[in-house]
Amino acid sequence: MVNWGKAFEMFFIGFGGVFVTLIILQLGIILYSKIINGIENMMKKKG
Amino acid sequence: MDFSIFNRIFLNTGFAHLTFGNVLMWLIALTFIILAIKKNYEPLLLVPIGFGMFIVNLPLTELMEEGHLLWVPYHYAIAHFDLIPPIIFMGIGAMTDFGPVIANPKTILIGAAAQFGVYITFFGALLLGFSLHEAASIGIIGGADGPTTIFLTAKLAPHLLGATAVAAYSYMAMVPIIQPPIMKLLTSKEERKIKMKKIRQISKLEKIGFPLVATLIICLLIPPAAPLVGMMMVGNLFKESGVVERLSNAAQNELINIVTIFLGLCIGATMPASVFLRPQSLYIFFLGLIAFSISTAAGLLLAKLMNVFLKEKINPLFGAAGVSAVPMAARVAQVVAMKEDKSNFILMKAMGPNVAGTIGTVSAAGLFLSLLS
């Protein structure tokens, strides 16, 4: 017998989890790029 | 004259034990080898898989018996200890340029949408009578990522390893055949002609830090994905750091080549006729195709949906590159885009969702492991 409760839990947590993970990764990359670009611009200005 | 000695000799040859199933498997193995050689379909994998399948179907060879030649790498490097798929990921990381993802991070969402087929097929497999563990292993084929499929199946449903691995690699090889009709069906001529802005230049420092940032985020959120993500990112760090060229070269050449030989042979050898020739294998191939098609469609549809909200429209064709067959899916997006407008180059931009698709599939596999272990 298939445990449909567990199956739906896997769908929502699984697929939702993939989205949440990749959204956090996306935000992380945006933030990281901003920090690095900021540092690089500052270093260019300094010298 | 005592003929019994001839009888005994005959019984010790493979001929005495040959079955119709064995011969059928030889033909399937031969088909794989021919497809690899003549059509260039994933030859690096299909040649050793075909040969492994052929040799394991020669009776009495015992190559997959405990302690024998192919059992050892299969048992110690694939089935019980996840060694080979992560090493392959290290090579992939050393060959991958994450620049398009860093330059255009919104494409990461497409890599997530393209996992939809994985979960729909998971339900399809359950309806066909597979268990939760088996259904997860079959669903992951939709990610079109061979090493991840092997990594997950070896842990959840090792008895399905041969069929799921061959299905995953077959569909990866058939990306140029399966995807274009779906792409044309779900996009208009005008959409396929959309030209996108050139992606910005990424500094060396950004590229060096990316593997650390990605590892930190993904492994903290989904620890079971660490073997694959960690190895992919260390391979990428070797490449981008520029100071360990030897390690980078070893990861993307010698190391990946050696493990690919063992992976292919061992996967092929998991398919003796008695295991492979069952309706189950046909179901797996059918479900894998459904998974892959739905994943392609989901990536395309999300790209179209994003266009409703975005000021700068994206070409929805690169939504199809959200499946992780790198770089084949991105190349197919380029080919279809150029059929509408020869001056439309979307290859580099399509590499963004393509690479994100790999990360998405690894995340999906990690979540399956978290929820089922």
Side-chain angles (χ1 to χ4, degrees), chain B residues 17-334:
Chain B
H17 303 270
L18 209 54
T19 63
F20 174 70
N22 291 137
V23 178
L24 196 58
M25 289 307 291
W26 296 353
L27 293 177
I28 296 173
L30 192 64
T31 309
F32 280 10
I33 294 171
I34 290 172
L35 280 176
I37 296 170
K38 289 283 276 184
K39 298 274 181 187
N40 212 27
Y41 284 174
E42 292 284 337
L44 291 175
L45 257 302
L46 289 194
V47 169
I49 286 178
F51 196 83
M53 201 188 283
F54 172 62
I55 202 164
V56 83
N57 280 289
L58 299 173
L60 306 183
T61 49
E62 294 184 338
L63 290 171
M64 277 299 265
E65 297 297 315
E66 191 171 337
H68 287 255
L69 181 68
L70 295 179
W71 181 88
V72 176
Y74 172 74
H75 185 79
Y76 289 106
I78 301 174
H80 287 265
F81 304 100
D82 41 346
L83 192 62
I84 287 184
I87 292 176
I88 289 190
F89 260 70
M90 188 199 287
I92 293 171
M95 285 186 255
T96 303
D97 178 6
F98 283 101
V101 177
I102 306 170
N104 199 2
K106 62 177 173 276
T107 60
I108 288 177
L109 284 183
I110 292 170
Q115 308 311 314
F116 190 55
V118 170
Y119 290 93
I120 292 298
T121 309
F122 167 72
F123 279 109
L126 289 176
L127 287 171
L128 281 175
F130 288 96
S131 69
L132 284 170
H133 288 67
E134 291 170 335
S137 303
I138 295 167
I140 206 75
I141 298 170
D145 186 334
T148 307
T149 304
I150 292 165
F151 176 78
L152 187 69
T153 310
K155 285 179 181 298
L156 296 183
H159 54 289
L160 299 183
L161 194 56
T164 53
V166 168
Y169 280 110
S170 303
Y171 295 133
M172 281 165 74
M174 287 195 278
V175 166
I177 299 166
I178 300 168
Q179 284 198 320
I182 302 170
M183 292 158 104
K184 283 182 184 160
L185 185 73
L186 294 176
T187 55
S188 66
K189 241 177 192 296
E190 282 64 41
E191 284 174 324
R192 295 197 288 273
K193 281 182 182 168
I194 292 176
K195 282 190 174 174
M196 292 161 63
K197 257 184 26 187
K198 232 178 137 183
I199 52 175
R200 73 175 173 89
Q201 280 289 320
I202 303 298
S203 73
K204 192 170 169 56
L205 189 58
E206 268 182 286
K207 283 191 175 181
I208 291 173
F210 174 81
L212 299 172
V213 173
T215 306
L216 181 80
I217 295 173
I218 300 169
C219 294
L220 281 178
L221 288 168
I222 314 171
L228 296 181
V229 173
M231 287 298 105
M232 179 159 69
M233 294 304 164
V234 78
N236 189 251
L237 186 60
F238 290 161
K239 172 182 182 274
E240 299 299 349
S241 67
V243 291
V244 284
E245 204 177 327
R246 279 167 50 193
L247 300 189
S248 173
N249 285 339
Q252 58 183 291
N253 295 295
E254 295 86 354
L255 201 52
I256 197 169
N257 290 343
I258 291 166
V259 295
T260 300
I261 292 171
F262 284 106
L263 180 74
L265 283 172
C266 291
I267 293 300
T270 60
M271 287 180 274
S274 56
V275 173
F276 191 74
L277 295 178
R278 292 184 199 167
Q280 237 185 5
S281 303
L282 278 181
Y283 292 159
I284 290 171
F285 274 82
F286 170 71
L287 287 165
L289 179 62
I290 300 284
F292 184 61
S293 305
I294 294 176
S295 290
T296 301
L300 283 165
L301 292 174
L302 184 80
K304 283 169 72 115
L305 181 69
M306 284 166 76
N307 274 346
V308 176
F309 302 100
L310 290 173
K311 272 186 196 160
E312 274 176 31
K313 304 289 178 211
I314 54 176
N315 189 319
L317 285 179
F318 85 22
V323 296
S324 47
V326 179
M328 187 83 88
R331 278 194 204 139
V332 170
Q334 170 67 66

Side-chain angles (χ1 to χ4, degrees), chain A residues 6 10 14 26 29 32-33 40, chain B residues 119 203 205-206 209 368 371:
Chain A
K6 179 82 180 165
M10 286 177 66
Q26 180 189 356
I29 292 171
Y32 162 73
S33 287
E40 284 183 331
Chain B
Y119 290 93
S203 73
L205 189 58
E206 268 182 286
F368 272 135
L371 294 166

Side-chain angles (χ1 to χ4, degrees), chain A residues 5-16:
Chain A
K6 179 82 180 165
F8 278 101
E9 178 193 309
M10 286 177 66
F11 174 75
F12 288 114
I13 298 180
F15 190 46

